[in-house]
Amino acid sequence: MAHGRSRDSNDEGGLDSWLERIRERDALVVYEQDDEYEVFKTVLQYFDSHGLTYALPQIEYPTGNVMPSTSKAIENAKKVLLILSQNSNNAKFSLETFLALEKCVKHDQLCLTILTLRGFERTNIAHIPMLQNATIVELDYNRQEICLEAVVKHIKEQDVTLKSVIPAGNFATGLAWSHFTGYLKIILPDIPRLIRESKTYRENPGRFVEKFFILVPRSGRAFPLTEDTRISKEDEELLLKKTVNGAPRRYSPVVYRISADNGQHHFCCAEIPSAFDTIGKVFEEILEHITPQQRAHEVERFYYKLQEILNYQLNDRLGDTVEVILYDDETKDDSATASHQLLKRFTRTGATSDLPPSPKLEKKNIKFDVCLLYAKCDQKYAGKVRSALEDKRKRVVKVELPDQSLYETEQRVASSAWVVLFMSTNAMSMSKSECMPLWMANLLSVSLEDNELRVIPVLIDANPSGIPDFIRWVTYISVEEDGYQDRILDIINGKAISMKALSPVGNVAYGLAWAFFMNYLKHALTDLRNRSEAKLKQISADPRKCLATLFEFIPMSGKTINKLDEIETSKYGIENFGSVGPIELMVSGVLRKFDVNMYGIYKKTYSKEPREYVKYFMGEFAAPLRTLRSMHELFAGLNNQQLAEQIKQFKEEMDYILSQVTTDENHLRYVSENCKHLLYDDTKENLIDVLLKEIDRMERAQKVVIKLGTNTRARNAMREQ
């Protein structure tokens, strides 16, 4: 892909100078060899005449290996322009190149733009998330200059980062996990009992469904269900009291009455998840450049991920207590209403399984149980797996790259129930003649969405984080595991497998951070200064010893304890003074309480004198840590290294979000001014020591600001005199 002659091809120099040229140019232009004439004549000539500098990955790359040149170039470029045409379907990428392109979408290292040439429509773009989420410009030859002007403008817009367009990475995945661990996991086991014990259930036999319905509107917008004229809220409250992380919590699933056309009334517990609401809120309140395709992608990802979590073997007991409903709320007929969707469920026997439409592949007969897809360098491992499977009478077909023809490869992959993809460091950086074509990546990606075939990545000497998102599915296996061939057989046979073996979930910190901000922080910090001052007065504390700041503690291990007042050092202890006063708000039609606690750090003494408090503070362990920790300990395949990476990423995302709302959203300025996320290594540092050091730093910084302000006012007064 994209390796024509370059204006730089006569430049001499090593790898460093070549990469430096890439970094200096406005964009890296990637295209298929067969499109070189049209690209130079149409696109590059326009760039030359409009002062846009660009670089082209090429055969003259210092090592002479074109595919690593593409991935290295992508990693170092400011922006990437990927030009697609009818010739692009067989364009070849190494897995390293796919990973580099995903970084365009996930880590905001650069921004990916796609330009489609004559005869290649947007709908023909491979259904790979990293491509579907990119900025796409279709070259209309009747409006050629306008289209190319849009490309140049986007490339030159230095201030537009991916984060200003959409929180990238597995945004919706983080939201789904957050909602499961923070709410559904707690209430679902008790839902049938709560319903059966309710007055509404006893008075309306046969008309109160013993299920919890989760509505997921495609618009990404959460709204009070009572906006639907056929839905009303019952006065009865289902109350569930639980102790979560050492603190008493109250959960109140709402009971709704749904009126049918025949005059009958049905009852159920339902919600539009507050975590899902983050998708709509972020898009409407924070971001401006979201496309319908990007929004739809995140909504469907949320739906699928939540279904996947709820349907895992370890959660079978929850399966009959909940149903997730994805529906299009922007159509013009009755199906756009929540009441229509719920009434459909009441009039049927059993749960429904309505699934959103996905891009479909041509249906093909399944001829093989499994297809082994591997590079020649990994044939030893593929041979062992093949022998083990054939001994169990499994129909096995192999695809060895680069020896297999493209046609044979496509036929064998498409006609197999499972694909076992062997991944080694060598295979991921295969040369151009051996790498994965774009059509194959599309085939694997779309098949996953359609559930027509399943992909099992087998890691030989590669890191799980090297698995591209578009081929992550149920599980990955390492050849270092004992009996890994048997594990593959178990998966193909459909047997239950250990949840710790499930696929690494990718980067979920984005979604967790945005959900935490939109659904909690911006509410809990409302009027925090006045609330804290009132609390200090109530406990007769010196207000000079307390900052009007909520500290969100982020230990690197992800481990939290139930009570902060259990933490101590040889010199200090912590006392809990309780709530600073809850904030009650209606959120999506449901009354919610948001609260934080006040604490005091006191000196330890052996006397019976009243405690001497050195500082007061408001603080808590950041709630998303419990989600990450649950993913690590339960069944998400998040290993220790990935857990640490996600925790760091969460801290960085929170800092970014707070900086954005400070500059972009004046009405949310109080959030960043009154909140501090404190990341520390809890294996080496005690929270009290870390906190005292940070409070001291913040107090000294405030004094400097006050002093500078005083000096400025004094100088201004002298000038006036």
Side-chain angles (χ1 to χ4, degrees):
M1 182 83 181
H3 325 296
R5 297 182 309 277
S6 169
R7 308 292 170 89
D8 303 324
S9 60
N10 294 324
D11 280 354
E12 298 295 334
L15 173 62
D16 292 340
S17 61
W18 183 80
L19 292 178
E20 183 61 32
R21 291 198 301 275
I22 296 289
R23 289 189 286 267
E24 290 173 351
R25 306 301 166 85
D26 293 323
L28 176 74
V29 181
V30 183
Y31 58 92
E32 176 62 17
Q33 177 73 45
D34 293 340
D35 296 322
E36 182 176 78
Y37 176 77
E38 185 171 6
V39 169
F40 269 78
K41 179 181 176 182
T42 304
V43 181
L44 300 187
Q45 282 187 7
Y46 184 88
F47 288 175
D48 289 337
S49 64
H50 286 76
L52 186 82
T53 60
Y54 53 88
L56 311 173
Q58 59 199 275
I59 296 175
E60 289 82 0
Y61 170 74
T63 66
N65 193 333
V66 71
M67 291 317 298
S69 91
T70 303
S71 59
K72 287 184 180 295
I74 289 171
E75 291 169 0
N76 284 272
K78 296 177 185 176
K79 301 284 182 75
V80 173
L81 175 63
L82 178 62
I83 300 177
L84 299 178
S85 71
Q86 291 178 333
N87 299 317
S88 302
N89 196 38
N90 288 329
K92 297 179 179 179
F93 289 91
S94 70
L95 287 177
E96 280 188 342
T97 303
F98 278 119
L99 289 172
L101 283 170
E102 284 187 339
K103 289 179 182 178
C104 301
V105 180
K106 291 203 303 186
H107 299 305
D108 203 31
Q109 293 180 351
L110 49 89
C111 191
L112 175 64
T113 301
I114 295 177
L115 176 66
T116 64
L117 299 182
R118 187 193 309 272
F120 192 87
E121 299 180 357
R122 178 189 294 260
T123 54
N124 294 328
I125 296 175
H127 297 283
I128 302 172
M130 63 184 173
L131 300 184
Q132 292 291 323
N133 283 342
T135 299
I136 301 173
V137 178
E138 296 182 56
L139 184 57
D140 182 343
Y141 288 82
N142 294 322
R143 302 169 62 248
Q144 179 173 308
E145 185 158 342
I146 295 175
C147 295
L148 292 176
E149 180 183 356
V151 173
V152 171
K153 180 180 178 182
H154 180 75
I155 290 174
K156 285 190 172 182
E157 274 187 317
Q158 298 297 327
D159 294 333
V160 177
T161 64
L162 186 66
K163 288 176 183 175
S164 69
V165 178
I166 180 172
N170 288 349
F171 176 55
T173 300
L175 299 182
W177 271 105
S178 175
H179 192 54
F180 173 75
T181 58
Y183 185 63
L184 296 179
K185 179 183 172 184
I186 299 168
I187 70 158
L188 287 181
D190 290 285
I191 280 291
R193 176 184 62 79
L194 290 173
I195 290 175
R196 288 192 293 269
E197 292 176 355
S198 69
K199 178 181 177 182
T200 305
Y201 181 85
R202 293 194 301 271
E203 293 180 352
N204 299 276
R207 289 190 287 127
F208 196 150
V209 182
E210 295 179 44
K211 262 189 179 182
F212 188 73
F213 291 97
I214 302 172
L215 294 157
V216 180
R218 284 185 180 275
S219 67
R221 186 179 71 91
F223 47 84
L225 291 177
T226 50
E227 284 185 3
D228 187 320
T229 56
R230 292 197 290 185
I231 298 179
S232 59
K233 188 187 299 184
E234 291 292 285
D235 294 333
E236 185 175 14
E237 181 183 71
L238 304 187
L239 181 60
L240 178 64
K241 295 181 180 180
K242 291 277 188 177
T243 299
V244 180
N245 297 305
R249 296 288 180 87
R250 294 163 57 95
Y251 299 90
S252 303
V254 179
V255 179
Y256 292 100
R257 174 195 297 257
I258 297 89
S259 302
D261 291 334
N262 59 7
Q264 285 191 344
H265 300 293
H266 300 272
F267 302 87
C268 71
C269 292
E271 67 160 7
I272 297 178
S274 59
F276 170 78
D277 189 25
T278 304
I279 296 176
K281 285 180 178 178
V282 169
F283 293 166
E284 292 175 9
E285 299 181 22
I286 306 296
L287 310 176
E288 298 176 354
H289 305 289
I290 185 67
T291 67
Q293 291 86 356
Q294 289 167 328
R295 183 189 66 184
H297 177 73
E298 294 300 332
V299 168
E300 290 194 8
R301 180 182 280 176
F302 176 88
Y303 169 80
Y304 279 121
K305 178 53 66 174
L306 192 58
Q307 288 275 44
E308 184 181 335
I309 295 169
L310 291 170
N311 290 333
Y312 278 154
Q313 184 73 27
L314 288 183
N315 294 302
D316 272 354
R317 62 194 177 90
L318 307 181
D320 295 333
T321 65
V322 63
E323 182 174 351
V324 188
I325 304 170
L326 176 68
Y327 69 102
D328 189 347
D329 58 322
E330 296 180 320
T331 62
K332 302 299 182 182
D333 55 29
D334 286 346
S335 65
T337 64
S339 59
H340 177 86
Q341 297 298 325
L342 292 170
L343 287 170
K344 278 203 311 184
R345 272 71 188 173
F346 301 155
T347 55
R348 292 181 185 174
T349 302
T352 64
S353 57
D354 293 351
L355 296 177
S358 302
K360 295 294 181 184
L361 294 174
E362 180 184 351
K363 297 289 184 182
K364 297 186 179 181
N365 294 327
I366 299 299
K367 299 178 181 178
F368 307 101
D369 296 308
V370 62
C371 174
L372 306 181
L373 186 61
Y374 59 94
K376 197 168 187 176
C377 57
D378 299 327
Q379 59 182 341
K380 177 180 71 173
Y381 296 99
K384 291 181 179 179
V385 171
R386 181 177 185 176
S387 297
L389 295 178
E390 288 181 340
D391 286 346
K392 300 296 183 180
R393 301 183 181 277
K394 295 298 178 184
R395 298 169 297 171
V396 182
V397 65
K398 68 181 181 68
V399 171
E400 182 177 297
L401 301 175
D403 295 342
Q404 218 74 51
S405 72
L406 294 180
Y407 176 77
E408 288 178 329
T409 300
E410 181 177 13
Q411 293 300 310
R412 293 181 182 186
V413 169
S415 59
S416 299
W418 288 85
V419 173
V420 176
L421 178 64
F422 292 83
M423 297 181 60
S424 64
T425 301
N426 289 334
M428 290 175 65
S429 57
M430 289 185 296
S431 65
K432 179 179 179 181
S433 62
E434 299 173 313
C435 55
M436 180 182 291
L438 190 59
W439 66 261
M440 190 185 299
N442 183 40
L443 181 72
L444 295 175
S445 177
V446 177
S447 315
L448 295 180
E449 295 176 8
D450 291 343
N451 208 18
E452 292 176 341
L453 62 84
R454 306 177 203 181
V455 181
I456 307 172
V458 175
L459 306 184
I460 297 174
D461 56 3
N463 189 294
S465 62
I467 304 174
D469 281 349
F470 66 88
I471 56 173
R472 291 186 182 182
W473 190 227
V474 176
T475 239
Y476 78 88
I477 293 173
S478 172
V479 296
E480 296 178 0
E481 300 177 31
D482 292 334
Y484 71 92
Q485 299 100 325
D486 294 333
R487 285 278 319 286
I488 294 174
L489 181 64
D490 287 343
I491 296 168
I492 293 172
N493 286 334
K495 293 183 180 179
I497 58 173
S498 168
M499 294 304 151
K500 289 185 180 291
L502 295 175
S503 171
V505 294
N507 194 336
V508 298
Y510 292 102
L512 292 177
W514 278 101
F516 189 51
F517 169 73
M518 298 300 295
N519 295 328
Y520 175 70
L521 278 184
K522 79 175 202 176
H523 303 308
L525 295 177
T526 301
D527 199 28
L528 184 66
R529 182 176 296 275
N530 289 333
R531 292 158 62 202
S532 62
E533 288 176 354
K535 182 64 177 181
L536 290 167
K537 186 176 181 180
Q538 176 192 337
I539 62 177
S540 302
D542 185 348
R544 293 172 298 179
K545 292 184 178 182
C546 183
L547 295 172
T549 300
L550 174 63
F551 290 95
E552 293 290 340
F553 305 125
I554 307 176
M556 282 299 301
S557 70
K559 295 179 180 178
T560 61
I561 61 175
N562 290 336
K563 298 179 180 180
L564 282 176
D565 52 11
E566 294 175 352
I567 300 174
E568 61 180 357
T569 68
S570 59
K571 295 182 179 180
Y572 301 107
I574 294 178
E575 182 175 343
N576 184 358
F577 290 103
S579 168
V580 300
I583 293 291
E584 294 189 358
L585 295 171
M586 293 296 293
V587 179
S588 301
V590 179
L591 182 65
R592 291 186 59 191
K593 293 183 178 181
F594 303 89
D595 204 0
V596 296
N597 286 347
M598 176 76 73
Y599 297 89
I601 300 176
Y602 62 87
K603 287 184 178 180
K604 285 184 174 180
T605 64
Y606 295 100
S607 68
K608 296 183 179 180
E609 296 295 322
R611 286 175 171 173
E612 178 185 353
Y613 296 94
V614 295
K615 296 294 177 185
Y616 298 90
F617 71 94
M618 294 167 285
E620 60 193 6
F621 287 104
L625 291 182
R626 292 190 285 273
T627 298
L628 287 171
R629 194 72 199 176
S630 295
M631 295 169 71
H632 173 68
E633 295 175 347
L634 294 178
F635 48 79
L638 200 66
N639 61 32
N640 288 328
Q641 179 184 351
Q642 293 166 327
L643 175 65
E645 290 172 354
Q646 289 301 293
I647 289 172
K648 290 179 182 177
Q649 187 69 30
F650 171 76
K651 167 64 164 57
E652 292 173 5
E653 284 305 309
M654 290 308 309
D655 290 344
Y656 171 81
I657 292 170
L658 295 181
S659 69
Q660 286 298 102
V661 299
T662 298
T663 55
D664 299 342
E665 302 287 332
N666 289 327
H667 68 286
L668 296 177
R669 186 179 295 274
Y670 68 89
V671 179
S672 59
E673 291 177 346
N674 296 331
C675 186
K676 175 68 178 178
H677 289 80
L678 206 54
L679 179 69
Y680 65 101
D681 187 348
D682 52 322
T683 63
K684 300 177 181 178
E685 303 172 286
N686 186 282
L687 177 59
I688 294 178
D689 295 330
V690 173
L691 182 57
L692 287 173
K693 187 183 299 183
E694 179 61 22
I695 290 174
D696 180 64
R697 185 197 65 78
M698 293 174 66
E699 288 178 339
R700 283 188 283 108
Q702 285 185 357
K703 289 177 182 178
V704 170
V705 172
I706 293 172
K707 184 176 180 180
L708 289 174
T710 303
N711 291 341
T712 300
R713 288 192 295 272
R715 285 195 297 270
N716 291 338
M718 290 177 66
R719 290 193 188 101
E720 292 175 0
Q721 292 175 0

